DNA sequence: CTGGTATGATTGTCGATCAATCAGACGATC
DNA sequence: GATCGTCTGATTGATCGACAATCATACCAG
């Protein structure tokens, strides 16, 4: 009586990486926290070798850093890192928006509208965390609609680091702005206007960055 | 006089990954070739665990694929993969060109000109492999001038897969075109014109793709 | 030909072990 | 007292051997 799809085929190495990743992006493990292989192994009930591969994995994802013979720690981000994340994310999302617009179909429009409406609905409330999730869902939908596996993968890497930063810095935003700032983007994609969609996507992110800069400075 | 990074402290895991990576991008290991952990371990005189981490590393780089409990093999690329590589590379390189132009300095101009002149010189000869290296050097210089570590990293990943494909498909090109097709790009960067540099970089790659498509079809 | 089974190959995971290296404490020398 | 080694503990770097889980194939029965 096995249910297809529910079968646990993920290796323990992957699962360990997943757990650690979740703890990092959700802020359970704050930047700078030291991670000891043997300790983690005991904690998760796994062998050191398995944890080791998971840590290496997270290392390539930029979530943890490694000092030879000294240890692992949750990555800390400086100003340069933040700038890199914003510029790279804007570019990747611009590409995704353009591709999504170029190959938009009826089903795609429906999925996009659904995600957008959901976000608008959430923005009427005050649950900032839910809004963040809705925002991510919308962006992730656009990425999927681009039909670009590598783009999705690279975006995922950036997004995780981004989330880690957002959580650690405890950054917030105005619910009302978030929802409507995506309107032009969604429209452009649904209309199949690749160039405009790309511009709107880039503007969406860099605009947000500038807003944050002003508040911080 | 601190020459950090001079000391060779690379772990065996990294070195093993490097060797395998070289063999893959240089075509010694052709796509589809099976890679057995124990065999590689004996070949390189390393333990299985070390090889295992190296293979996982190459897996995240997209150079090898893994089938659970079955084995590893050198990644094979289909048409969709090639499209993904071209679009992603064009976008990343466009971003690099724009950033490089925006922060160009005297020293940067010199480095760029040096790489460009070197490429022009090589293009007068017939050594296609040398031309390829010169071409890559120029592009890599642009990436470095962008001052974007993550961009450099992600570009590296794409480039390795790209090289693997170029080698396997044994693709060639016209030496005369290669050299001069980069002229506008170099000029735009040196002039500090970000928008134009980005456009030229994108055009450079997508133009090359279309040329190849025509010859193949 | 079909379906099930036996078998070998390979990865998945574990545990123990030792070497290499780093960080900090301790102490000696000037 | 400041500086320089040295000692020591902690942690990773790397190896080996072992066994279970899984996949691919060949083989056999009907």
């Amino acid at each position: 009586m096995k249910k297809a799809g529910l079968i646990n085929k993920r290796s323990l190495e992957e699962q360990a990486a997943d757990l650690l990743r979740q703890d990092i992006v959700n802020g359970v493990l704050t930047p700078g926290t030291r991670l000891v292989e043997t300790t983690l192994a005991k904690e998760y009930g796994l062998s050191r070798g398995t944890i080791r591969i998971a840590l290496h994995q997270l290392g390539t994802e930029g979530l943890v850093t490694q000092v030879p013979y000294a240890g692992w720690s949750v990555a800390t981000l400086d100003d340069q890192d933040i700038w890199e994340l914003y510029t790279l994310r804007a570019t990747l999302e611009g590409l995704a928006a353009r591709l999504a617009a170029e190959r938009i179909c009826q089903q795609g429009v429906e999925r996009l509208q659904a995600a957008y409406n959901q976000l608008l609905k959430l923005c009427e409330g005050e649950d900032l965390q839910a809004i963040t999730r809705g925002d991510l869902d919308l962006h992730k939908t656009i990425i999927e609609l681009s039909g670009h596996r590598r783009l999705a993968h690279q975006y995922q890497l950036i997004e995780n680091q981004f989330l880690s930063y957002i959580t650690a810095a405890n950054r917030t935003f105005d619910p009302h702005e978030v929802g409507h700032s995506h309107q032009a983007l969604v429209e452009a994609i649904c209309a199949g206007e690749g160039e405009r969609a790309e511009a709107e996507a880039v503007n969406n992110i860099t605009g947000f960055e500038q807003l944050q800069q002003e508040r911080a400075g």
Side-chain angles (χ1 to χ4, degrees), chain A:
Chain A
M1 181 60 187
K2 294 179 187 173
K3 298 188 183 176
L6 277 187
I7 307 175
N8 184 0
K9 277 214 174 170
R10 305 184 63 84
S11 64
L12 295 183
E13 300 162 341
E14 282 180 89
Q15 295 183 48
D18 289 344
L19 288 177
L20 276 170
R21 189 176 12 245
Q22 286 307 318
D23 280 351
I24 292 176
V25 301
N26 290 335
V28 177
L29 297 171
T30 57
T33 304
R34 287 203 53 183
L35 301 173
V36 180
E37 295 181 357
T38 53
T39 306
L40 289 174
K42 281 183 183 172
E43 235 173 86
Y44 289 101
L46 300 173
S47 88
R48 202 184 134 207
T50 306
I51 294 292
R52 206 172 153 67
I53 287 188
L55 283 175
H56 271 280
Q57 172 68 32
L58 295 183
T60 67
E61 295 179 14
L63 291 178
V64 304
T65 56
Q66 179 186 29
V67 180
Y69 291 101
W72 305 81
S73 55
V74 180
T76 59
L77 303 177
D78 57 23
D79 289 347
Q80 159 100 3
D81 289 310
I82 307 305
W83 171 76
E84 291 184 6
L85 288 177
Y86 270 107
T87 52
L88 204 44
R89 188 186 164 194
T91 300
L92 293 179
E93 207 150 327
L95 172 60
R98 180 158 58 81
L99 293 176
E102 289 174 0
R103 59 160 59 194
I104 194 69
C105 60
Q106 183 54 35
Q107 193 193 351
V109 170
E110 288 169 9
R111 285 181 57 191
L112 202 55
Q113 286 290 355
Y116 180 53
N117 289 334
Q118 172 74 9
L119 177 58
L120 281 183
K121 189 173 165 188
L122 288 171
C123 283
E124 292 174 5
E126 296 294 329
D127 187 347
L128 291 182
Q129 236 177 347
I131 296 178
T132 302
R133 277 199 305 275
D135 185 30
L136 283 178
D137 273 349
L138 177 57
H139 287 267
K140 215 167 265 181
T141 301
I142 297 175
I143 299 284
E144 283 177 21
L145 291 180
S146 74
H148 199 302
R149 298 171 302 209
R150 281 172 177 75
L151 175 57
H153 183 241
Q154 300 219 1
Y155 183 81
Q156 183 70 51
L157 298 185
I158 298 297
E159 189 193 9
N160 282 333
Q161 297 179 58
F162 203 80
L163 276 176
S164 167
Y165 158 67
I166 294 286
T167 305
N170 197 23
R171 292 211 153 180
T172 58
F173 38 81
D174 185 350
H176 288 83
E177 293 175 19
V178 173
H180 291 89
S181 68
H182 292 76
Q183 189 175 358
L185 172 57
V186 172
E187 283 179 1
I189 294 177
C190 289
E193 300 175 20
E195 295 285 332
R196 205 179 110 220
E198 180 173 6
E200 289 293 347
V202 172
N203 182 54
N204 197 327
I205 293 183
T206 54
F208 179 69
E209 180 194 14
Q210 285 169 359
L211 185 64
Q212 295 287 11
Q213 294 286 345
E214 288 168 15
R215 287 191 190 164

